[in-house]
Amino acid sequence: MTVNLNQTLGQRIRYARVKSGLTIEQLCECISYDKSSLIDLEHDRINPQFVQWRILYGIIQHCHITKEILFDDYLLFCDKMPLKQIREEKGIKQNQIADFFGVARQTVSDWEHKRKRPSQETWQSLIDYFNS
């Protein structure tokens, strides 16, 4: 299966599902997900930031693909989320990141422990922040 990272997450999900020979109903049953939500996801009416990991990994498993096919750089980063490691290597405190981005320190902690994902805009800003 060839990946096109210029496609949206929804387009990649639909491509993987169709290529795997699954209907929307079949995939929904496999991953315990609502049909209308999967339709919204495939049509990019759901922000990737808010899609649960269990749904994404269910799609990967049942469509027999790798996460590199489904995930773009943003989701791959969030999946590995080396934020804490990078922050500690640079000698930066959570409070410094929180102050810089105008978020609570708890939000930074949530990012580090994968309880939440930064928005794609914040993710790009984090990369720029650590590279400066």
Side-chain angles (χ1 to χ4, degrees), residues 4-22:
N4 178 354
L5 289 179
N6 292 325
Q7 293 179 320
T8 64
L9 176 64
Q11 290 169 329
R12 291 191 306 270
I13 289 171
R14 184 174 192 285
Y15 177 79
R17 178 183 60 75
V18 170
K19 198 79 166 150
S20 299
L22 294 172

